[in-house]
Amino acid sequence: MKTGVNKLSVASTSALVLTYVKSLYEEGLGKKYLAHIDFSQVKNLADELSRITPLFREALLLRKKMIRYLIRQLMRQHPRQQVCILAAGLDPLALQLTEYFPEQQLANIYEVDSANMREKQEIYAAISFHDDRLHTLQADINNTSQLMGTLIEAGYDPQQPALIVFEGIMHYISEEQFLSIMRNFCSRTKNNAVLMDYMVHAEGMSVSSSTKAEEMLDTMESYIGSRLQQFSRKKIQNLLSLLDADRQEVYDMQAAEFVLSGQNNIYRGERKGLLEIISFHI
């Protein structure tokens, strides 16, 4: 790929999500970065999901905005943290963090995934981005020895506080995989914060909303070729108890919308959404 001339063309869930949240990248490095990605391979799927329900786009936008809001909150509480973005995909969150936080507020950023990391580095070069704090690493997060070895070799210090971004991952992994990954970041003093989201079951939704949710999930599962994992809040909290996690804060879509805008225009009444976001310390 010749970045600057050709665009990176990928068919992945990461690219799919980015098609819906381009409004988050209308300026700065994020805008320059997205200009180097060709989304044509996921256009048909994006159009189909939008046909089923416009709430899919709204939920993804809300998730990303809430993750960014919580990152800012946590960074204010504990500046100079390390940030680990696991299964980072194509999302330019790491780029934005270098813009949000000067060096005295944020130490190092490690974005890790098993694919597209070389291509990301080529795009960074094409947009003339360079920041010594950002480390773009190729490793399988489910291979925890490889993951931790790669992080430590790049400068990650397990003895120092870290913020772990685990966004858009729980849908694709098992409970055992989640616990295995998280145990590598558990600390005696619980100085590591984790931000993540998960899909909840459709119980309690109206018949119309439940039907649309099932159709959306079926469409996504056909695309990725496997089942998507859904959880109850109680199940997630049970998993966190196995990690001895504390300082848990949970937001359904309704709560997240209210936190971000001070009102509910989309998620009103009993409408809670199919996603929840949680922060905790381990």
Side-chain angles (χ1 to χ4, degrees):
M1 179 188 75
K2 296 180 180 179
T3 51
V5 179
N6 299 325
K7 291 185 177 182
L8 171 63
S9 181
V10 290
S12 72
T13 55
S14 180
L16 174 68
V17 171
L18 283 178
T19 64
Y20 288 105
V21 299
K22 290 179 182 178
S23 61
L24 295 177
Y25 312 106
E26 293 180 338
E27 58 185 13
L29 293 171
K31 180 178 180 179
K32 293 179 181 179
Y33 172 89
L34 254 64
H36 287 265
I37 298 178
D38 175 8
F39 295 101
S40 60
Q41 292 188 48
V42 293
K43 182 180 184 304
N44 289 341
L45 177 59
D47 290 344
E48 175 63 13
L49 291 171
S50 295
R51 179 197 65 77
I52 295 170
T53 174
L55 283 179
F56 185 65
R57 173 183 177 275
E58 297 298 337
L60 292 176
L61 268 172
L62 196 53
R63 181 184 84 184
K64 290 201 169 294
K65 289 178 180 178
M66 192 64 187
I67 291 290
R68 283 158 175 74
Y69 169 84
L70 292 171
I71 288 174
R72 286 190 172 100
Q73 296 297 307
L74 289 165
M75 290 301 295
R76 274 197 280 270
Q77 295 171 21
H78 303 286
R80 289 290 296 166
Q81 288 192 76
Q82 308 168 101
V83 176
C84 294
I85 306 172
L86 303 184
L90 294 170
D91 194 307
L93 172 61
L95 284 181
Q96 291 186 313
L97 293 182
T98 65
E99 293 180 297
Y100 293 162
F101 302 105
E103 188 171 342
Q104 64 268 27
Q105 291 183 318
L106 188 153
N108 287 301
I109 310 167
Y110 305 93
E111 55 175 354
V112 188
D113 210 326
S114 59
N116 296 321
M117 295 299 97
R118 179 181 61 81
E119 291 84 356
K120 263 185 132 172
Q121 289 173 324
E122 292 180 2
I123 296 177
Y124 294 162
I127 64 175
S128 300
F129 168 78
H130 180 76
D131 190 313
D132 289 337
R133 294 176 298 169
L134 178 53
H135 308 270
T136 301
L137 310 172
Q138 184 152 332
D140 181 358
I141 67 168
N142 289 311
N143 182 339
T144 55
S145 61
Q146 180 191 57
L147 169 64
M148 299 312 296
T150 301
L151 282 171
I152 290 170
E153 185 178 353
Y156 173 76
D157 185 350
Q159 303 305 314
Q160 297 300 315
L163 172 56
I164 315 301
V165 180
F166 204 69
E167 181 187 0
I169 307 173
M170 285 296 287
H171 330 316
Y172 307 110
I173 64 175
S174 68
E175 296 172 15
E176 292 75 18
Q177 287 172 313
F178 167 71
L179 292 172
S180 177
I181 293 166
M182 286 297 129
R183 284 184 177 123
N184 287 275
F185 296 99
C186 288
S187 63
R188 182 177 56 81
T189 56
K190 294 184 173 53
N191 60 1
N192 293 331
V194 181
L195 299 176
M196 74 177 206
D197 64 297
Y198 54 92
M199 285 200 307
V200 295
H201 297 288
E203 294 110 352
M205 290 185 176
S206 67
V207 173
S208 174
S209 296
S210 180
T211 300
K212 288 180 179 179
E214 290 300 325
E215 185 178 358
M216 183 190 72
L217 290 172
D218 288 344
T219 302
M220 279 291 295
E221 288 170 350
S222 295
Y223 173 71
I224 65 175
S226 63
R227 296 291 297 175
L228 292 169
Q229 304 297 319
Q230 293 173 272
F231 302 87
S232 67
R233 184 179 296 189
K234 182 175 177 57
K235 168 59 76 173
I236 291 293
Q237 290 174 331
N238 286 343
L239 289 173
L240 296 187
S241 71
L242 297 176
L243 299 171
D244 196 25
D246 65 10
R247 284 176 278 173
Q248 299 176 27
E249 296 183 1
V250 189
Y251 305 86
D252 56 32
M253 292 287 94
Q254 187 181 65
E257 184 186 24
F258 189 82
V259 166
L260 293 171
S261 64
Q263 57 187 342
N264 287 107
N265 296 317
I266 299 171
Y267 294 92
R268 298 178 177 177
E270 296 302 313
R271 178 179 282 176
K272 303 293 186 181
L274 268 178
L275 287 175
E276 291 190 346
I277 298 160
I278 188 168
S279 68
F280 56 92
H281 285 73
I282 52 177

